[in-house]
Amino acid sequence: MTASTTAPATGRQSAPGTDGLDTLIDQACRTLNLPTIRAQFDEVAEAALRQQGSDKTFLLELLEAEVEHRDERRRTRLVREARFPRPKRIEDFDYTVNPNITPEVVNTLTEPGWVSAGQPLCLIGDSGTGKTHLLIGIGTAIAEAGLKVRYTTTANLVNELSEAADERHLTKVYARYDKVDLLLLDEFGYLELDKAGAKLLFELFTDREERRAIAIATNSPFSEWPKTFTDQRLCRAIVDRMTFNSNIIETGSESYRVHATRARLGT
């Protein structure tokens, strides 16, 4: 009697849903928190069967889909956690309206290298020249690159630090901000800060110096910062920290919003 031989299996031999394993696969994906594999398993399996692909190729496609979806969810989460007041992207910035700003310079700031190096960024110009758009747009790009970003106005930050000092949990607040790779401070220099507020801000700047990046948007040139900080010693120290090894963009004085309004009205 001649023994029968069985040919080795090549690729996937049955369509999804025909071997009774779907429920077990679904349960395993839930247990391992693999929502993308759970959602796309049937589709990828059917494609692999049609193409007679190998089991390894089938598995790789599932894993790549899961990794891509996780990266997308993480980018979305990091942008949400940055607490931007409104969505702004660098791709939407109109450089033709403000010739003071060049895309070559801005595009280098959408890469995370300067943030990882703890370098400051100063956006200086009059109201309506695009500072906040740049601040949020750059921050969004950095968050999507996988770093932690936090947006706030300078007044809100100082108020938060002052309240924390009064309630004796300032150390916790500083520690929370220390986990942020890029701190975005809008409306820097809009309000006069008393000595206590300036000192709290200075301590945060000092703690982040050359370790964690800070970006500010201000309508005041450095020469006018003494109007914001009543303590001139602290003012000089803050200017020193924000200008050392800093990226500085001057957005000029012609209002982007006024230009857009004139264009719309045809005047």
Side-chain angles (χ1 to χ4, degrees), residues 65-116:
E66 186 67 47
V67 169
E68 182 179 355
H69 193 202
R70 285 195 178 190
D71 285 344
E72 182 181 347
R73 295 201 308 271
R74 184 167 186 264
R75 290 193 296 269
T76 300
R77 175 177 57 80
L78 287 171
V79 171
R80 182 179 66 251
E81 290 177 350
R83 301 184 186 181
F84 297 119
R86 50 195 173 277
K88 295 285 185 181
R89 302 191 66 85
I90 288 300
E91 296 86 344
D92 300 326
F93 191 85
D94 188 354
Y95 294 98
T96 63
V97 176
N98 192 339
N100 296 299
I101 304 169
T102 59
E104 293 78 13
V105 172
V106 173
N107 288 339
T108 63
L109 297 171
T110 62
E111 299 295 329
W114 67 279
V115 177
S116 300

Side-chain angles (χ1 to χ4, degrees), residues 115-267:
V115 177
S116 300
Q119 297 176 352
L121 167 63
C122 298
L123 302 169
I124 306 173
D126 287 353
S127 297
T129 56
K131 300 187 303 299
T132 296
H133 189 145
L134 291 174
L135 193 69
I136 295 176
I138 290 171
T140 299
I142 297 302
E144 291 179 340
L147 300 183
K148 292 184 178 181
V149 179
R150 178 74 162 85
Y151 170 97
T152 185
T153 64
T154 306
N156 285 343
L157 175 61
V158 172
N159 287 338
E160 181 182 1
L161 295 176
S162 298
E163 291 176 3
D166 292 340
E167 298 172 6
R168 298 186 178 182
H169 60 262
L170 185 60
T171 301
K172 292 182 179 179
V173 175
Y174 280 142
R176 185 168 68 246
Y177 277 104
D178 190 57
K179 297 177 182 178
V180 174
D181 298 298
L182 174 60
L183 176 60
L184 306 174
L185 291 182
D186 207 353
E187 301 177 5
F188 190 88
Y190 279 39
L191 299 176
E192 181 179 303
L193 299 178
D194 60 17
K195 184 174 182 179
K199 183 178 180 181
L200 291 171
L201 192 63
F202 170 74
E203 289 176 357
L204 185 143
F205 277 36
T206 299
D207 187 54
R208 297 180 65 86
E209 186 177 11
E210 296 187 65
R211 296 189 315 107
R212 297 279 191 266
I214 296 178
I216 66 168
T218 178
N219 61 356
S220 301
F222 297 118
S223 60
E224 294 182 6
W225 284 21
K227 297 178 182 178
T228 298
F229 300 95
T230 55
D231 187 309
Q232 300 308 299
R233 181 180 60 85
L234 286 176
C235 179
R236 288 192 297 271
I238 289 177
V239 170
D240 178 68
R241 279 156 177 74
M242 287 305 301
T243 55
F244 177 71
N245 200 24
S246 178
N247 303 282
I248 300 175
I249 296 179
E250 296 184 2
T251 60
S253 57
E254 185 174 351
S255 173
Y256 178 97
R257 289 188 288 269
V258 170
H259 185 280
T261 301
R262 288 174 177 172
R264 178 171 55 84
L265 297 176
T267 59

Side-chain angles (χ1 to χ4, degrees), residues 36-37 40 44 59-71 73:
T36 304
I37 290 180
Q40 298 188 17
V44 176
L59 177 60
L60 178 60
E61 289 181 6
L62 285 175
L63 293 175
E64 286 179 338
E66 186 67 47
V67 169
E68 182 179 355
H69 193 202
R70 285 195 178 190
D71 285 344
R73 295 201 308 271

